[in-house]
Amino acid sequence: MTRVAAIDCGTNSIRLLVADADPATGELVDLDRRMTIVRLGQGVDRTGRLAPDALERTFAACREYAAIVKEHGAERLRFVATSASRDAENRDEFVRGVLDILGVEPEVISGDQEAEFSFTGATKELTGRDDLAKPYLVVDIGGGSTEFVVGEDHVRAARSVDIGCVRMTERHLVQDGVVSDPPTPDQVEAIRADIEAALDLAEESVPLREARTLVGLAGSVTTVSAIAQDLPEYDSEAIHHSRVSYDRVREITERLLSATHAERAAIPSMHPGRVDVIGAGALVLLSVMERIGADEVVVSEHDILDGIAWSVA
């Protein structure tokens, strides 16, 4: 076993995994897995820069994670940063802060690398499952971007497109600094149009419709699963490898897009940091299912973070 630590810093959240990895058996044993909503990508789509408040929230989480990594005695640490820090003009400020706190430089990876890690993390433990036909389509709905990966045992094709839940919310649902409560039909249609255009773009290089099993990753998808199961609180074990039908995803998406902030916040399994962006995230999932004709989505709690851990191991 090799004790490793992986940090995934996305547009909406920063997550830590400390685990013991055994490459010989393919086993990854969690020691600590946690997530903090930091909204690093706040305003990036509009300003092109990382906001000072967003940077400070992210650095505060990094200080907390540094203590946990030290406590567990991880032998290796890899820090991967995704869409927001890739787009920002002042990303050097972000890189310096992370290096000072954690002693490693964040790797601002490409969308294709992001997709590779997501696929490995999501599918490594599905090998040998007779009930899940290949090829898989892994869809990782992040804050700033969504990754599409098709493959069997390895990645065959991948594409990253800019339709994350934060980006869509800020682009179409925010007026005068306030999120529409609830969105208007025209606003929802504007998001739909962006998603459909992005799916057209993804299909230029990824054969989405060849997939036999849809695997959905990240907070928007796991939250939809939690709502589908009427969980009294967010429960990773109940969510991991759950299956949600197309009809249920459509019903939940319509509910979220017609709800007020207070109604969404009152859902027991809803993380406070997802209340404003969950509607857009659910709409991305629904649109993907409609595009490929998927009857259900297999939900995975294991994703890019696990893929990063395996890359270190």
Side-chain angles (χ1 to χ4, degrees):
M1 289 281 193
T2 303
R3 184 157 295 181
V4 298
I7 295 175
D8 166 38
C9 185
T11 304
N12 196 43
S13 63
I14 183 169
R15 299 180 303 143
L16 169 70
L17 172 61
V18 182
D20 286 331
D22 186 346
T25 63
E27 186 179 16
L28 197 66
V29 180
D30 288 13
L31 299 173
D32 201 310
R33 186 187 291 261
R34 61 184 65 200
M35 181 267 290
T36 309
I37 299 284
V38 293
R39 293 295 287 275
L40 178 63
Q42 173 191 335
V44 168
D45 195 50
R46 178 175 52 82
T47 66
R49 297 180 61 82
L50 298 167
D53 288 353
L55 282 168
E56 184 44 50
R57 289 193 298 269
T58 304
F59 293 154
C62 286
R63 286 188 279 272
E64 178 190 342
Y65 289 0
I68 295 163
V69 170
K70 184 177 179 181
E71 178 188 335
H72 284 292
E75 298 167 44
R76 303 173 193 167
L77 166 64
R78 188 171 191 180
F79 187 116
V80 166
T82 53
S83 182
S85 54
R86 191 168 60 231
D87 300 339
E89 292 172 8
N90 60 333
R91 61 185 177 191
D92 288 349
E93 189 179 344
F94 166 70
V95 172
R96 285 196 304 272
V98 171
L99 184 58
D100 287 347
I101 296 166
L102 286 156
V104 296
E105 191 167 313
E107 300 173 57
V108 183
I109 62 172
S110 69
D112 287 344
Q113 288 174 298
E114 199 173 332
E116 190 87 34
F117 285 142
S118 294
F119 187 83
T120 301
T123 64
K124 197 170 183 74
E125 61 191 346
L126 300 181
T127 305
R129 288 272 301 260
D130 294 333
D131 58 327
L132 298 177
K134 298 176 184 178
Y136 305 117
L137 168 60
V138 174
V139 178
D140 187 344
I141 303 172
S145 62
T146 294
E147 282 63 58
F148 297 90
V149 197
V150 166
E152 287 81 17
D153 299 318
H154 301 283
V155 172
R156 178 155 36 111
R159 186 72 179 261
S160 176
V161 293
D162 288 340
I163 49 167
C165 59
V166 174
R167 193 186 297 270
M168 291 296 93
T169 300
E170 291 191 348
R171 184 177 293 173
H172 296 293
L173 303 185
V174 176
Q175 292 182 328
D176 300 321
V178 179
V179 178
S180 296
D181 190 25
T184 67
D186 285 348
Q187 288 174 321
V188 173
E189 281 309 306
I191 296 176
R192 270 273 196 189
D194 271 9
I195 294 170
E196 293 302 326
L199 290 175
D200 290 342
L201 199 60
E203 281 201 287
E204 289 178 5
S205 50
V206 181
L208 303 181
R209 298 172 212 241
E210 289 183 18
R212 301 284 303 282
T213 297
L214 173 63
V215 183
L217 314 183
S220 292
V221 181
T222 59
T223 300
V224 167
S225 172
I227 296 169
Q229 297 180 66
D230 293 319
L231 296 179
E233 60 185 10
Y234 192 95
D235 182 345
S236 292
E237 286 190 20
I239 291 166
H240 188 49
H241 288 174
S242 60
R243 296 157 94 147
V244 187
S245 71
Y246 165 76
D247 287 341
R248 196 79 173 98
V249 171
R250 185 186 60 199
E251 175 191 325
I252 290 166
T253 302
E254 290 172 355
R255 170 186 165 192
L256 292 170
L257 289 171
S258 61
T260 63
H261 176 96
E263 287 167 341
R264 294 190 303 275
I267 297 170
S269 55
M270 182 73 67
H271 189 289
R274 295 208 185 278
V275 174
D276 286 333
V277 300
I278 185 61
L283 188 55
V284 173
L285 174 61
L286 178 65
S287 301
V288 171
M289 296 181 78
E290 289 175 348
R291 175 66 66 106
I292 69 171
D295 294 329
E296 66 174 10
V297 57
V298 178
V299 181
S300 179
E301 283 275 12
H302 293 181
D303 49 29
I304 187 173
L305 195 57
D306 302 75
I308 296 165
W310 279 116
S311 75
V312 180

